[in-house]
Structures are given as structure tokens and as C-alpha cells.
Amino acid sequence: MLKIGIINVTGYAGAELARLLYNHPEAQIATVTGRSEAGRRLADVFPHLACYDLTIEPEIAGSVDFVFSALPHAASAAACEPFVRAGVPLVDISADFRLTDPAVYAEWYGGAHPAPDLLRQAAYGLTELNRDAVKASKLVANPGCYPESALLALAPAVRAGIISPEIIVDSKSGVSGAGRGLALNLHLGEAGESVSAYALDGHRHLPEIVQELARMWPPVEAPKPSQPKVTFTPHLMPMTRGILSTCYAALWPGQLPQGEAAKQAIRDLYRDFYADEPFVKVVDAPPATKQTRGSNMCLLYPTVDVRTDRLVVVSVLDNLVKGAAGQAIQNMNAMLGLPETLGLDSPAVYP
Amino acid sequence: MLKIGIINVTGYAGAELARLLYNHPEAQIATVTGRSEAGRRLADVFPHLACYDLTIEPEIAGSVDFVFSALPHAASAAACEPFVRAGVPLVDISADFRLTDPAVYAEWYGGAHPAPDLLRQAAYGLTELNRDAVKASKLVANPGCYPESALLALAPAVRAGIISPEIIVDSKSGVSGAGRGLALNLHLGEAGESVSAYALDGHRHLPEIVQELARMWPPVEAPKPSQPKVTFTPHLMPMTRGILSTCYAALWPGQLPQGEAAKQAIRDLYRDFYADEPFVKVVDAPPATKQTRGSNMCLLYPTVDVRTDRLVVVSVLDNLVKGAAGQAIQNMNAMLGLPETLGLDSPAVYP
Amino acid sequence: MLKIGIINVTGYAGAELARLLYNHPEAQIATVTGRSEAGRRLADVFPHLACYDLTIEPEIAGSVDFVFSALPHAASAAACEPFVRAGVPLVDISADFRLTDPAVYAEWYGGAHPAPDLLRQAAYGLTELNRDAVKASKLVANPGCYPESALLALAPAVRAGIISPEIIVDSKSGVSGAGRGLALNLHLGEAGESVSAYALDGHRHLPEIVQELARMWPPVEAPKPSQPKVTFTPHLMPMTRGILSTCYAALWPGQLPQGEAAKQAIRDLYRDFYADEPFVKVVDAPPATKQTRGSNMCLLYPTVDVRTDRLVVVSVLDNLVKGAAGQAIQNMNAMLGLPETLGLDSPAVYP
Amino acid sequence: MLKIGIINVTGYAGAELARLLYNHPEAQIATVTGRSEAGRRLADVFPHLACYDLTIEPEIAGSVDFVFSALPHAASAAACEPFVRAGVPLVDISADFRLTDPAVYAEWYGGAHPAPDLLRQAAYGLTELNRDAVKASKLVANPGCYPESALLALAPAVRAGIISPEIIVDSKSGVSGAGRGLALNLHLGEAGESVSAYALDGHRHLPEIVQELARMWPPVEAPKPSQPKVTFTPHLMPMTRGILSTCYAALWPGQLPQGEAAKQAIRDLYRDFYADEPFVKVVDAPPATKQTRGSNMCLLYPTVDVRTDRLVVVSVLDNLVKGAAGQAIQNMNAMLGLPETLGLDSPAVYP
């Protein structure tokens, strides 16, 4: 059994790693850390993890075969650095190693990058779109939950060269995406029975979406613009888990059949693209986030608004699983040469 | 006191009319009808309306000064027709008199229009944008809840001629918009803790949005397109009341100041546009649907995505009030020469 | 118009006072205070109160005709004291003047009572059960939300002398009862889609329930115990507003007819008891909290478990209205000789 | 691998069986039936079960090693009968084989028992309390969700002979307990943000609770009553999954230490009672239903109201897992001599 260390098990992503790893046949949690909760039993902080006989430590104790960091950005890079330098394979769930350009990081995260020399070693861990790099790397940056949902939704169309780079991503997320920090607007009395938009001046996941779309953008002929121009609007939903992203882009003329046939064509294109992926499924009816709750699945519903010749793709996933801890374990599996589905094949908890 | 008749009080819009009219100082409900519930006491069907001593009748009984119809489409036009022909002023909450072209109606509502000769008499009852026509008409078509939220959000920019007609309306609605008809997907066990998109092949509120945007579209110079091209995606939210619409359109170059100043300019433009409106408020921070629950307010947050030069407007309202019954009473007030705020000035029930 | 001052408008009870008073025909808010928010506009702190043009002050400014205090206990008594001594009529929503015995207060609220000499002037403000005292007093202690629901549910049976004093009150409350203070367990991600019991070692509302039941307990013959023995268990519900209390007590033998007839008899007894009360309604089917949301109504469903000869009474109310701000305004109306329903007769916001 | 048949996979309990069995290492679903959905793919009816390549059949097809029936009562006994007579081991999730007396069944379920001669073969499948009988039987009646929560909460105290038979069970359940049948009161718009009591004239789970409590009641000395006298009140909660039962009973004098020590004593008694049970855990703080969501755990918090000498026990479980499908699989494991935890050891999905 692989010995796993989790840095900052006390956030939602960290606790979700512990939940999922309990059923992993080849890995076992050896040590977990937390900041404010160090010294307490894991089962006392999280009664649903009573299956573990672990105490939360201030630092990773003893030797481990693999490390996950679920710390917030900046703190995470600092905590990851010694393991990376020591050659311990690691997935960082924070944003620290996602943006390849430290200047962009500084602009969006409010400070110089804590370990810029490590950036070149890092692979962007959207396994389905970047598998070779993930497998070849010992430092993988787990995607943000919103980028995960947007990039899986857009990748087949982008790579096929059928959409304009004028893209709108309208995302709806449950409140667990905001973490366990205290905030009045996350109280049930405020967030319940209510919907709101936020971060309209720019959300930190925007540069990540733009970077990855740009990377996968195919070479284009002259008058067409080659850089994605993305508006991304996140919304807070009155629920705990789940992200639904609705993605819009104009179709280049002549790429798809006319009229209703376009819908079938786009669905075929997506099905082909993800044919071998165990965790991405193209569905025939608009999906609901609940269909993925607790599971590592991403469901995609691509269609065409035939009145306006626009691509519309709806994606749903569980922000704590496919959008965080599940994706991280999928990355671990890929990095270690294990089947990617190990520990991740439970159906969603529905209803 | 005006004697009011409500046709089909047993739907959510009808019951909401009864709730709101209870506090109207100049109007009193004289008679209410229902289909399956005829013969029962209103207070037995709706315990929250125990303040009324009314029996649900099969037909409007006795003479009334004003009629609201809250029947579904097709049935509504048939029920309204005798009152319209008799000159009784009426607001129809159904879709029957919203679309000016009976061919468009037939295409979207699946059948010939039941009273096409009345269409020319009907005014589209978005009071803020069509006040003169509402005041001059005895037959007012109450807007759909989604069009209400989208049109109030887009009108100032459209009339100012600053946006491209390539428009995306991404709307999020509570389940009460789907009415009281039995449906498994509306059960709390299915709709709760979940988000989904629906009607991706075209929602009936789309032609209504397009018709009204086209009507308010300013004359444009040659190469610019003059017809709005709208993609509208409704989503079901795990809550009872409320609509939030996020509207996107590219800004024509040179219409607003550059950079951050564009945000203030757009907010000023919206504030000026709605300066005299009691029920539309332009706010300085992204609003939440809960801030309007139970009230007739629509809150607007217009801004500019300065990275992409797109207008983004967020609107929130209560779909059963400003999106249905409250708007209907506002229309009644306007039609009868009463102050529009009568019976409608209660603050939202928050939290 | 009466000039009203609200001390601590920034809690949920204070904000709810402002919401409800907006429609009071004889009263107008003149000044509001807050602690952390002093200096801000009321409309900025609470967007749903944009109808008010008020700044939150550190202290009540200018002369007022009536004061509400919505401060937490201890702080409230201190803030109320000068107004009471100056003869300004006042309703205190905190617990400070509810318990008549300062020793009991000290035991449950963790400190000596801040103004014990005022206790004798205070009336317990459950208007329906203590109207004469409320009308005669200038200092009224508004009941706790749980006691309100339990006492209205039990009073008719207690006064009729038909139940044993062995009483169980099992209460279910929305999260707004816990106020606006930050707490992880109130986050939607924690409290949503979950139910829990709390305060099993004793909730502060228990001595209040016991005190008022003891006060209304009829003289009893020798072997019967004369002091109510109450177990009270509050539960947190995944909703914002509303309390449902289920109250259980054994029936003394021979007081009601046998079998099914007992159910009708108990309902008749309750109907008679509350026949003249505008805000308490005895209903024929088990009620739902939603039927009272936003309104000052308390719905009661009394019945008999004929298999065990137990009285079971279900009561529902909105904890922020009948359980706090609405009851406070009802008390104000009674104290000032106004009709009790002024400003309080809006139907519930359902659904 | 054992070949499993599920009769009526299309209800919530049936679908939950499929979800849980997917991870069972020794069992595999061979065939599933449904009534209205026969002929459809399981993955089309339940997108979260896309992992299965199964078509819903009208009848169990082919030979199977074990059968679960998740049909409603009456229909279930009829469907089970041939398998029972053929000696195929079976767990019936319906109520048909729970009540040992067919007359009681007829009284509560409105008709003669469909297979009274099979009743004597049936074991009541609350594994923790009736393990030997379950292991010895080929026909196990899975407990009702409410009885499961009440009996686990009360058994240690009952068997220890420390409580009076005057018992109150106040239960709070999520809406999934009501199944997938269409009902307006289960719509999110009605059940959301609301709490209600129901079945106050008697719920079908009451005779089941009484029967099992009576069976475990210890022999008592003369003046003490020997038959449990239970009032059971179920409540509908605004959530999908979960039951919390709060159980009350007077303590016989002299059975526990006085004062605060009673609390520790009762907790020790419960800990000892369930010391070897993998799915029942006695916790030190009041639990929340969410801590068990998706898992087979039942968490118990027993305490003493030292002011009134009453036992109060709070139990929480997931009504679809420990209250239905999980318990059924635990029974299957026990019946087949497998470790009871097989397929059931995933932690709860929290938050």
C-alpha cells in the first residue's frame, strides 16, 4: 500500500480526499496535517471520517510515498516545496502551480509567486486534456473547479476549430466551493433560497481558463483571432455541492451541418473526443448536478442554438470530487501508473 | 373599492394576486374562480389566505370592475374574451396576448391563436418600458417572468444604442415558475441540492424577448445588424422563488469610456434610465434574489467586462411578484389611473 | 405618527421590525442604532430596506415615542434602562426582562441581572395570554421564539386543567433563530440538507417555558403534582425561518370524551380559547411552517393520541415575526391602545 | 460472484440498492425489474447508474442467488412468494413481512395479508438486534426507516430495564422517505423551507415499533406496566435524505447515578451495548443527519434530562441506506455468512 500524506486535511478538499481514499485499494493515508486543528482526532473534527484512527499533525510525519496539498494558495507552494525538491510526487490542489506565468500569478493572487523556479516542473492536472504531461510529472497542479467544468465543456469544440474565440462561461456553484472559512453570506439564512452572481470584476479562475484555452487553440488562418476572449461569471447557488457551467460560443460558418443535424453532429464530435474517458460522459438530455454528487463524473450536454448558430455546452460535476479531490486522486493514479479509476468508481449519491 | 375578479386563483400566480391584493387600499377581491377546486373555500386550499372569506367559483360571479386571468395559455384567451368584449379592463397573466404575430404564437404554443382579433387591442404590460400603451389599453398582456427580468436588464443599453444585437441571456429560476402541476423533477428530492438547464431547444419566452428587444432597437446604420440575435437558456434552481438573469452583449466600440470608467458610465446610464421608477433599482453590488423575495422590486447590476468590452447585466426579481402578480397589479394601477405603487410597497421578506 | 426608535436594527429581529413597521399606519421609524455598523446607511446593510432613508446611529438620536430593543441580553437591559426610567414605553426583544427571578436569570444567562429593580415593572409580552399586564405596562419583555410556540400550544389545555404536568416540547427551528453571528454550523454547506438537535443539557428558553406554564397552572387537588416538569429539545432545521413545536402531555383521565370524539373535543376547546385572537388560528389539518412565513400568525393543530391518551399539539409560526418582531409590534399596539393588528395583517408569503 | 435480482429497481430504495451493490466485492446485479419503466435502460432512468449495462425487465429473468424486493406492500409479498417457496434467499424492503400478526397487518395496511403462511418464516431484519434470527432465515423483512431509527435508539435502555414504557418518538425525515410517487406536498416549492408534522392519527410504522419494543421488553415486576405505550410523530423536513429521531422516556428511579453522572452512565451503557457493531456509533455530541448521508451508519446520542429524570436519545441515519437499502445488504451479508460490512464501508458524503 502506498503511504499518503495530506497537507491541510481540515478544509473541504482535504476532508474529501480522506473520504475518497478510504476506498482506494492501493493507497492508505499515513499522515494528515491541519493548521488550527493540529492535535485533534480526525474523527472529532469530521464525524463522518470516524473510520480513520488518525490524529491531525502540525507537519507531515514520517516518510510518505505521495503527498496532496489542500492548503490555500501561497501557503501551499511553501509547504509543497520540500517534497518537490525531495522528489516525492505531489498533487497541489491550490492555485499555486496552475498559471505558467508568474507575472499573471502575481496580478491575480496579490503577491510574487512563492516558488517560481518550480513552475516549469509543474503539469496542469486536467488529466483528460493533458494526460501525457501529468504522467511525466512529479508535481501536478490540480485544476480549479470552475476551469475543470469549463475546459472539459469547451475542449472538443476548441480543438476541432469550430468555434469563435468569443466565449462566455456562466457558472453556477454550490457554496462548498467557498470553503470552510466563516462568512455571513454563506450562512443558510443568507445563501439559502437565493441566487447571486459574484466576482464580476474578475475571478481568479479566469486567467486559468484563458491560459488553457489558449494552449489548446488550434492554429488559425489570418483574419480569425487566435486568442480566446472569455467572460466568466460565477454564481452562488443555494446548495452545498455541484457546479453547472453553461458555455457559449459562436460557431464558425460551414463547420457543422445546417439546422437540427448540427445538434447530432456536435454530440457525435464530443462523444468521439471523450470515447475512452471513464469520467466524462456525453449525455442526451440536459444533466443535473445531483447526478454527479459525490462521484468523479463530469456530464456534458453539447448542443447548438440553431437560431443563432451558437454552440451551447452544459457541464455538471461535483466541485469537491471532479472539481478537487477526485481529480487529484485521478492525477495521482495517472502519475503512479495505476488505473485512473482506482478508488473513484462509486456511483453518485442520488437523490 | 374596486371589485376584482381573479380567474384561476388556484395556481401560484393567482394565489399571489390574492396575497398582494389583500393590502391594496382601493381594490377588493369580489370573486375568484378555479378549475379543479371549484366549490372549496379559498382558505382551505391555501391556509395562508385564511384572511379571505371566499369560495372558489367555477365562473366569475356577479359584476366586477377589473379582471385578472391566471389561467394557462389558450384557456386564458377563451376565458378573457367575454370580459374584453364587454369592456371590462383586464390583465392576462398567460402568454396569450404577448406575441403580436399569431403565426409566432402558433409556432411556439402549438396551436392557432384562440382570439387573434383581440391581439391588436392588447398592450404588452412591461409598465416601465411601455407605460403609455398600458395606460391606454383595457387588455394588457402581463410579461413572462424571464422576459421581465431580461428586458429590464437590457432596455437601457439597447435604447442607448451601445450594444451589439448578439445577446446571451442566462437565467436562473426557482421552481415556482413551473407552477403547481405535478412533476417528479420538481420534487424536493430531485430538484433540491441540484441545478439543471432546460429547454435548450427553445423556450417559449424566447420569441417574447426577441419581439420586445426588436421593438425597442434603435435605428442603426448600414453594416450593423438591426435584429437582436438572442440565445436564452433557463436553469432550474433549488429554491422556490426568484429569478436571476445574467445578460451578455458586446459593446459597440467608442460608446463608453475606456477601462474602469466604463463601469461607472454604464451604471450612470442605467440610473438615469430608471430614475423615476419605484420598482427598478440600480445597485452598487451584485444583488441576490432573496433581496426581492415577496416584493415587486427588480434590482439591476450593470457592469462592463473591461477585458472583453462586453456589457454584463445581472437582474434579480421575485418571479411570482415582479415576474407575475405584482407586475399585473402594477399594470392594473396604471390602467386605472391609480398610483402604481398601491398595494405593492412592502419591503422584501429577508432573510 | 408615532416616532419609533429601534436599538440594534442590525440583527435579524431588528431588521424585521423595520420591515414590518414600514407598513404600520400609525408609526414611523425615527432613528435606528447598530453597533458595528454605525454610520452606514440602513439600505446598504440591508438592500431589502432601501425604502428607508436612514443612517445607523451609535445611540438613539432625538426624542422618540416608543423604543424597541433588539440587542442581545445584558447589553439590552443596560440600553433600555434610561428609556424605562424616563417613562418611554419600550419592548425589549432580548431575554433580560422575561424571567421574574433574578437568581434564575443569573443561573441561565451567566451573570447577575443588569437591572433587577426594573423586573417588577416588566410584563411578559405574550399578548394573547397576558394582555392586561401588557396593556398596563411600559416595559414589556417580548417572549423567546420557542416559548412563544410552546406556550400558545399548551395554554388552553393547561388552563383547562386536563393535562399532567409531565410535558415534552420538541421544537424545530430555522437557522435565523441563531442570529447573524458567524458560525460554521450555520453555513449552508453544514446546515443545509441536515437536521440536528442541540442544547440537550438545557436551553435558555426552558426556564421561561417553565415559569409561564407554572404561572398559568390551575390549582390542583392533592395527589396531583402542581409544577410543570418540562423536557425541551430544540432542533436545527435546514431552512431560514419558521418554528414547529410538537408538544406532548398525558391527559388526566375523564376530562375528555373517549376515542375519536376526544380529537373534536380538544379542537373545540382550543377554538373557544382563541376565538377572539386575530393571530392564533386552530386548523383542521397539521400545518406547515411555510403557511406562516413572513406573517404574524400562529397556527395550532391540537389532537389526541387515542391509543395512549396523550395530548399532542403542533404549533407553527415564523420565528422572526410572531416569534420576535411581529409579537413586539403587537405588544406596542396593545400598550398604546391601538388595534393589535395594525401593521401586522399581511398574509404569509407562500409558497 | 453472487447473482442478485432486484424487484422494482425504479423506486428510491431499489435504485439505492443498485448504487450500493456496485461496490460489493462478492455480489453482482444480474437482473432488475420495474413496473412502468420495463424495457428502458437503467442508465436512462437513473443517469447516476450509468455504470450499469442493464435493461429493466418486467420480471426477474434467469436464475439468481439472492433477491431484494423493493416493491410497495401487498405487491411485494405477491412478488416474493415464488422465490421464497423456491428457497431463494430474499430480503423484502416492503412492510409485508414485518408484522407478525396478520390481523395487525390488516388493520394498518388496509387488507388481508397476501401470504400469511409465510409470516412464520420471516425474520425481522434489524440485524443488530435480531442477528441470530436473520442468519437463520431465508426471508428477512427489512425494517421501516422510522422503526430502524427508533429501535436502535431505545434498545439498550429497554433491554437494561431502566425506562418506563411511556415512550415518545418524535421523528424528522427527509422527503425521499415518501418515495417517487407524484405529490404536490413533496414539490420543492411546497416542502422546501418548511417543516410539518403528519400522520398524527397513526403512522404505519407505529405498530412495528410497538411490536419490536414489546418483544425486547424485559420481564417486569408486578406494578410496572409491561407493554410499551408509544406516541410516534413523524415530521417532514426540507431535505432529501436523513432521519433524526428524538426519543423520550421516563427513567425508573434508582437505575442510574444522580445528576450529571447519569449522562456518562447512560453513554457507557449504550457504548457497551453496541461495542461490536460496525454500523452503530455512540457519539459524544448531538449528531447531524448529514454526518451519515450516503452511508450505512447510525449515530446515537443518549443523554439524561437531569431536571426531569428522562432519557433522551437522538438517533440519526440515512433513511435510504441504514433505513432501507444498506440495511437490506447488511441482512444479505448476514444471511449468506459474509462479513456484514461488505459493500457498506464507504464514509458518509459530507458536507
Side-chain angles (χ1 to χ4, degrees), chain D residues 263-319:
Chain D
K263 298 179 186 176
Q264 190 55 52
I266 199 75
R267 219 166 306 158
D268 290 344
L269 184 154
Y270 272 65
R271 283 237 165 78
D272 289 349
F273 190 94
Y274 289 120
D276 298 326
E277 293 299 338
F279 296 124
V280 181
K281 191 170 150 62
V282 179
V283 291
D284 289 323
T289 58
K290 203 169 207 172
Q291 291 163 358
T292 63
R293 197 169 49 171
S295 89
N296 200 47
M297 292 301 296
C298 173
L299 305 184
L300 296 179
Y301 181 77
T303 190
V304 174
D305 179 356
V306 294
R307 291 176 194 85
T308 62
D309 290 313
R310 289 193 185 109
L311 174 73
V312 182
V313 189
V314 177
S315 70
V316 302
L317 52 77
D318 183 324
N319 57 302

Side-chain angles (χ1 to χ4, degrees), chain C:
Chain C
M1 295 288 272
L2 295 157
K3 288 186 291 177
I4 308 293
I6 300 176
I7 302 175
N8 201 36
V9 75
T10 52
Y12 283 142
E16 191 73 351
L17 280 169
R19 177 179 80 82
L20 292 167
L21 287 169
Y22 189 73
N23 290 324
H24 196 292
E26 309 268 342
Q28 191 165 25
I29 300 178
T31 176
V32 297
T33 80
R35 294 186 294 183
S36 51
E37 307 281 14
R40 293 184 67 192
R41 308 286 304 162
L42 181 58
D44 290 339
V45 178
F46 293 110
H48 73 298
L49 297 178
C51 49
Y52 284 108
D53 182 22
L54 287 169
T55 297
I56 300 170
E57 310 285 347
E59 303 287 340
I60 293 288
S63 77
V64 289
D65 300 312
F66 197 94
V67 169
F68 293 100
S69 172
L71 279 168
H73 69 91
S76 193
C80 292
E81 193 166 348
F83 296 97
V84 177
R85 302 216 188 274
V88 180
L90 181 149
V91 170
D92 178 21
I93 295 183
S94 89
D96 280 343
F97 298 105
R98 293 178 194 159
L99 298 172
T100 53
D101 182 345
V104 176
Y105 179 91
E107 177 191 348
W108 286 90
Y109 288 90
H113 193 283
D117 65 311
L118 296 184
L119 283 177
R120 303 197 57 173
Q121 304 178 33
Y124 186 74
L126 217 172
T127 331
E128 285 82 358
L129 303 181
N130 206 27
R131 183 166 279 122
D132 291 344
V134 166
K135 286 188 169 183
S137 178
K138 288 191 140 181
L139 170 57
V140 167
N142 218 53
C145 50
Y146 286 123
E148 177 98 29
S149 74
L151 295 170
L152 289 173
L154 289 166
V158 168
R159 291 222 178 136
I162 62 173
I163 56 169
S164 142
E166 301 273 347
I167 291 170
I168 286 167
V169 176
D170 188 291
S171 294
K172 298 89 177 163
S173 173
V175 296
S176 63
R180 294 178 82 218
L182 294 178
L184 182 60
N185 74 316
L186 301 179
H187 277 210
L188 192 151
E190 305 277 330
E193 184 71 13
S194 193
V195 169
S196 57
Y198 67 102
L200 284 135
D201 289 333
H203 187 282
R204 284 167 169 171
H205 285 178
L206 172 63
E208 188 181 334
I209 295 172
V210 172
Q211 167 185 292
E212 293 303 309
L213 287 179
R215 189 144 62 136
M216 67 175 83
W217 212 268
V220 290
E221 292 155 44
K224 287 185 184 172
S226 64
Q227 282 294 316
K229 232 173 107 186
V230 181
T231 295
F232 164 56
T233 316
H235 298 76
L236 199 63
M237 299 288 107
M239 63 185 193
T240 299
R241 286 174 180 246
I243 287 180
L244 183 147
S245 289
T246 316
C247 305
Y248 303 89
L251 289 160
W252 292 129
Q255 303 290 316
L256 291 179
Q258 293 289 305
E260 291 295 311
K263 297 179 187 177
Q264 190 57 51
I266 198 73
R267 220 167 307 161
D268 291 343
L269 185 152
Y270 271 66
R271 283 237 165 78
D272 289 348
F273 190 91
Y274 289 119
D276 298 325
E277 293 299 338
F279 295 124
V280 181
K281 192 171 150 59
V282 179
V283 292
D284 289 323
T289 57
K290 205 170 203 170
Q291 293 164 357
T292 63
R293 198 171 46 171
S295 89
N296 201 47
M297 292 301 296
C298 174
L299 305 183
L300 296 180
Y301 181 75
T303 191
V304 173
D305 179 357
V306 295
R307 291 177 194 84
T308 61
D309 290 313
R310 289 195 185 107
L311 173 74
V312 182
V313 189
V314 177
S315 70
V316 301
L317 51 78
D318 183 326
N319 58 302
L320 294 181
V321 189
K322 187 63 175 164
Q327 181 68 30
I329 293 169
Q330 186 180 350
N331 279 322
M332 178 190 78
N333 289 340
M335 292 163 78
L336 300 177
L338 301 170
E340 282 181 30
T341 55
L342 282 193
L344 296 173
D345 60 351
S346 293
V349 179
Y350 182 95

Side-chain angles (χ1 to χ4, degrees), chain A residues 166 170 172 189-190 192-193 195 201 231 233 235 237 240 246 248 263 289-290 293 305 310 350, chain B residues 166 170 172 189-190 192-193 195 201 231 233 235 237 240-241 246 248 263 289-290 293 305 310 350:
Chain A
E166 302 273 346
D170 188 291
K172 298 89 177 164
E190 305 277 329
E193 185 70 13
V195 169
D201 289 333
T231 295
T233 315
H235 298 76
M237 298 289 106
T240 299
T246 316
Y248 304 90
K263 297 179 188 178
T289 56
K290 204 170 205 172
R293 197 171 47 170
D305 178 357
R310 289 194 185 109
Y350 182 94
Chain B
E166 302 274 349
D170 188 291
K172 298 92 178 163
E190 305 278 330
E193 185 70 11
V195 169
D201 289 333
T231 295
T233 315
H235 299 76
M237 299 289 108
T240 299
R241 287 172 179 246
T246 316
Y248 304 89
K263 297 179 187 177
T289 58
K290 204 169 206 174
R293 198 171 47 170
D305 179 357
R310 288 193 187 111
Y350 183 94

Side-chain angles (χ1 to χ4, degrees), chain B residues 96-186:
Chain B
D96 279 345
F97 298 105
R98 293 178 194 158
L99 298 171
T100 53
D101 182 345
V104 176
Y105 179 92
E107 178 191 347
W108 286 89
Y109 288 91
H113 192 282
D117 66 310
L118 296 184
L119 282 176
R120 301 197 56 174
Q121 304 178 33
Y124 186 74
L126 216 171
T127 331
E128 284 83 357
L129 304 180
N130 206 27
R131 183 166 280 119
D132 291 343
V134 167
K135 287 188 167 182
S137 178
K138 288 190 140 186
L139 170 56
V140 167
N142 217 54
C145 51
Y146 288 125
E148 177 98 32
S149 75
L151 296 169
L152 289 174
L154 289 165
V158 168
R159 291 221 178 134
I162 61 173
I163 56 169
S164 143
E166 302 274 349
I167 290 171
I168 285 167
V169 176
D170 188 291
S171 294
K172 298 92 178 163
S173 174
V175 296
S176 63
R180 292 179 83 218
L182 294 178
L184 182 60
N185 74 316
L186 301 179

Side-chain angles (χ1 to χ4, degrees), chain D residues 1 30 43 45 52 59 75 92 94 112-113 118 134 151 201 288 290 304:
Chain D
M1 295 288 272
V45 178
Y52 283 108
E59 302 287 340
D92 179 19
S94 89
H113 192 282
L118 296 184
V134 167
L151 296 170
D201 289 332
K290 203 169 207 172
V304 174

